[in-house]
Amino acid sequence: MDLRELYQDLILDHSRKPRNFRTLPSARCAEGYNPLCGDRIKVFVNIEGNMVKDVCFQGAGCAICTASASLMTDAIRDKTEEQAHEIFESFHRLVTSEEPPKAEGIDLGKLSVFAGVREYPIRIKCATLAWHTLRAALDKETEAITTESTD
Ligand code: ZN
């Protein structure tokens, strides 16, 4: 399998130097596990009012998983919870849908780099793990989630 296209510079950069790679005490937290690849991460999110004031993650994942989590934390900081859910939906469509994502006022910006992931079905769960984990944290779910119970 030729992953050169997939592992673009931005993904490599974020996987080598993940942003917001730390823990956040007393924040909402959820843990995600992707048994197909072995990715395991925790996402921490601090909500003030309905704003995402801080978000970070920690764990061990492959390059796609780590880069996706890293770019996700940058993308949803200072957004409302509702916007964070909308970005989740847009990102999810970007990596899973046959059709290009519809313009709905949500600019995925750098996250668009993950569009190529849909060509590699086994990598889709790597790319979406952080996002499912984020959603679990936002929804205050406390038990660990796995990609095998979500899609
Ligand atoms: Zn992975």
Side-chain angles (χ1 to χ4, degrees):
M1 186 160 61
D2 184 359
L3 291 173
R4 267 178 306 177
E5 261 185 88
L6 184 53
Y7 286 73
Q8 296 180 33
D9 287 350
L10 187 66
I11 291 178
L12 279 177
D13 178 45
H14 276 262
S15 67
R16 286 175 182 150
K17 291 175 291 180
R19 319 309 195 256
N20 308 303
F21 190 77
R22 53 190 161 83
T23 60
L24 198 58
S26 71
R28 294 187 201 172
C29 170
E31 186 171 7
Y33 177 49
N34 173 15
L36 296 181
C37 177
D39 309 313
R40 190 185 290 275
I41 64 166
K42 275 185 175 179
V43 172
F44 303 83
V45 59
N46 223 335
I47 304 292
E48 260 182 53
N50 68 340
M51 299 288 293
V52 178
K53 292 305 284 184
D54 199 4
V55 55
C56 55
F57 76 104
Q58 219 171 37
C62 66
I64 294 292
C65 171
T66 304
S68 176
S70 175
L71 283 156
M72 177 188 79
T73 55
D74 276 351
I76 66 156
R77 181 190 308 276
D78 294 326
K79 301 289 194 294
T80 65
E81 281 189 79
E82 189 182 19
Q83 287 171 323
H85 281 288
E86 284 170 0
I87 295 169
F88 170 96
E89 295 297 338
S90 274
F91 182 79
H92 200 260
R93 266 200 304 278
L94 174 78
V95 297
T96 59
S97 169
E98 297 289 310
E99 296 158 35
K102 296 183 207 108
E104 289 169 2
I106 295 171
D107 180 10
L108 285 174
K110 290 177 179 175
L111 291 168
S112 304
V113 74
F114 288 96
V117 168
R118 73 170 81 107
E119 308 295 326
Y120 305 89
I122 198 157
R123 291 290 172 197
I124 290 173
K125 289 183 174 178
C126 300
T128 57
L129 178 66
W131 295 80
H132 285 294
T133 310
L134 166 74
R135 192 163 65 171
L138 287 173
D139 293 344
K140 299 187 209 172
E141 290 171 17
T142 48
E143 69 241 57
I145 64 152
T146 114
T147 52
E148 297 314 285
S149 63
T150 56
D151 63 13

